[in-house]
Amino acid sequence: MSAWCGLQTHQPLHTLTHAYSTMSILPLLRRLAPPLRASWLRIQGRDISYVERVRFLQELKVHESLCSSFIPDGKFLVYHYGKPLLRVDKANTKDAIVWLTFTEVKNYYPELLSSYVLLDVSEEGKPRYSVQVGGIPSYTKEKLEDETGGIFTDLRLGMFMVSWQEAHTLSRANCVHMWNKNNAFCGKCGAPTKRNASGRWLL
């Protein structure tokens, strides 16, 4: 069950937003869970402790409306068939991973809300997500690479282009995407699994 502007609905978030443009989705998402959102907005824009990041991440996983409300403010790591978008010329620097905004990803991949996963919370208190865009046309893929200066790079090679912390992020994102791909149905009863706001499939 997802909250949508104060209303309860049994429709998943990505189906509810299908009829809306990117610009109309943003204010609607941000209106979700106002009390919880306000309490966590205070940590935005400053370095926060590891404990605060873990607490915030747990809140995002537990409260679907809170997680949904922060999607427009998050940063997105983009994957294309298991290959992360990286800047090869920025290897071994903090800019090696291409992090895009919600609006930027939405421009290339309108189905963003049906394939993102929540990864972690950055040191600045920003939720970070990953999205798999394997279904985009080849010309859109090329445009995405050209405009961001990145290249969809083999994950094994990419692990040597980033710090160990970022390598962990790349690996975790790939693992969650693979888990979602392989667990669309319950392994015991065969029933379809349900996607929650953090992008995980619930058995």
Side-chain angles (χ1 to χ4, degrees), residues 2-181:
S2 300
W4 182 251
C5 295
L7 300 177
Q8 295 296 319
T9 173
H10 291 279
Q11 291 179 271
L13 179 64
H14 67 274
T15 62
L16 288 168
T17 58
H18 181 72
Y20 292 86
S21 67
T22 299
M23 294 310 295
S24 64
I25 288 173
L26 297 181
L28 293 176
L29 288 174
R30 290 190 175 115
R31 284 172 55 190
L32 295 171
L36 276 173
R37 178 177 166 82
S39 66
W40 285 107
L41 275 175
R42 289 194 289 269
I43 70 172
Q44 302 285 298
R46 64 177 177 85
D47 289 347
I48 62 175
S49 68
Y50 173 77
V51 173
E52 286 178 304
R53 296 203 306 272
V54 171
R55 285 184 57 213
F56 187 21
L57 182 62
Q58 185 61 26
E59 289 284 317
L60 292 171
K61 290 179 179 179
V62 171
H63 300 285
E64 292 205 41
S65 58
L66 178 67
C67 186
S68 299
S69 74
F70 273 100
I71 291 173
D73 305 302
K75 293 292 186 180
F76 290 80
L77 166 62
V78 184
Y79 269 78
H80 183 269
Y81 291 122
K83 296 181 178 181
L85 185 62
L86 304 175
R87 296 187 180 95
V88 177
D89 60 331
K90 302 287 186 180
N92 298 312
T93 72
K94 62 182 180 62
D95 297 318
I97 296 180
V98 178
W99 291 99
L100 300 180
T101 66
F102 174 86
T103 302
E104 289 170 337
V105 178
K106 193 80 171 155
N107 288 336
Y108 298 107
Y109 187 62
E111 293 79 22
L112 163 63
L113 291 174
S114 66
S115 62
Y116 74 90
V117 294
L118 175 66
L119 288 181
D120 57 23
V121 175
S122 70
E123 293 181 357
E124 296 78 29
K126 289 280 188 181
R128 301 198 301 184
Y129 305 84
S130 180
V131 59
Q132 184 75 260
V133 298
I136 61 174
S138 58
Y139 64 84
T140 303
K141 172 180 173 289
E142 293 172 1
K143 180 181 178 182
L144 174 55
E145 291 179 322
D146 290 342
E147 294 183 350
T148 61
I151 297 175
F152 287 106
T153 308
D154 184 275
L155 180 60
R156 292 168 294 183
L157 175 61
M159 301 283 267
F160 293 97
M161 295 171 51
V162 298
S163 67
W164 68 266
Q165 296 97 330
E166 291 175 326
H168 181 64
T169 299
L170 293 179
S171 178
R172 181 168 64 251
N174 185 62
C175 287
V176 177
H177 284 306
M178 290 299 296
W179 195 93
N180 280 356
K181 177 182 177 181

